[in-house]
Amino acid sequence: GVAGDLRIPARCVAMHPQPDRDVAVGWRSPIQGRVSIRARVAMGDAHGGNGIEWSVVADTKTHRSVLAQGEIGPGGSQTIPSDAAAGKRLEASVASGDMVSLVVGAKAGDQTCDTTIVELAISDNETGGRTWDLTREVVDSIHAGNPHADAAGNPAVWQFYSQPAAENKTAIRPD
């Protein structure tokens, strides 16, 4: 594809995978309970490349579970879960310290135009439970460090990381 149509909106979070490394943003749970997960991936370049692969994964101390996965083509975008408008929810049970991540990987062959705009929000399913929103909580204070505290001051809730690109995406855990 032809490169050169990269458009990154103001006040967003974007990541770019490498041929041999997937990139991810993780939310380390400060709570124990059931959470709902909403995410979105959108290609920053409308014309170049061949798209990306994405997954939403949950890591406990002992294993990784793939909660959802898919791919988008050049210029594409996807809301996760895709049927959220119909009231469907992507949920997981978490313990304090577990991590829910949105992982972005290059499709085989071309990663030059794979800058991906990402959104991730995690909501506590308890009545009156709070919502953690990556963009809202990180954009204005990205230089505060990685890992990054949440809006309530819980340390190390948001974490950007990379991992080896792997055929079996369930076998890799973040540090």
Side-chain angles (χ1 to χ4, degrees):
V2 176
D5 195 30
L6 180 63
R7 295 167 197 258
I8 305 294
R11 307 192 47 70
C12 75
V13 176
M15 303 188 301
H16 190 102
Q18 298 301 306
D20 60 340
R21 306 242 1 129
D22 295 342
V23 289
V25 60
W27 171 82
R28 190 168 304 280
S29 179
I31 64 165
Q32 177 160 340
R34 194 131 180 97
V35 296
S36 295
I37 303 145
R38 292 185 329 275
R40 186 170 184 276
V41 290
M43 298 302 300
D45 190 310
H47 303 294
N50 63 351
I52 55 100
E53 299 172 342
W54 61 265
S55 59
V56 176
V57 298
D59 288 299
T60 66
K61 292 187 179 8
T62 58
H63 76 286
R64 169 169 274 197
S65 302
V66 176
L67 304 175
Q69 61 188 3
E71 58 183 53
I72 57 174
S77 66
Q78 186 169 3
T79 299
I80 306 157
S82 58
D83 48 6
K88 303 290 188 207
R89 300 201 308 188
L90 181 60
E91 296 184 316
S93 292
V94 294
S96 183
D98 288 354
M99 188 151 56
V100 174
S101 299
L102 175 58
V103 181
V104 174
K107 284 186 183 177
D110 185 7
Q111 59 40 268
T112 54
C113 298
D114 285 353
T115 297
T116 306
I117 299 152
V118 296
E119 298 172 16
L120 180 62
I122 312 289
S123 298
D124 182 349
N125 283 358
E126 295 295 314
T127 302
R130 66 168 292 198
T131 295
W132 291 263
D133 183 296
L134 170 69
T135 306
R136 183 173 46 80
E137 296 190 5
V138 172
V139 164
D140 286 333
S141 57
I142 190 74
H143 295 292
N146 184 34
H148 195 284
D150 69 5
N154 294 307
V157 170
W158 295 107
Q159 176 180 341
F160 293 92
Y161 64 94
S162 68
Q163 64 188 26
E167 289 294 316
N168 177 4
K169 305 250 185 212
T170 62
I172 308 298
R173 277 188 45 81
D175 296 332

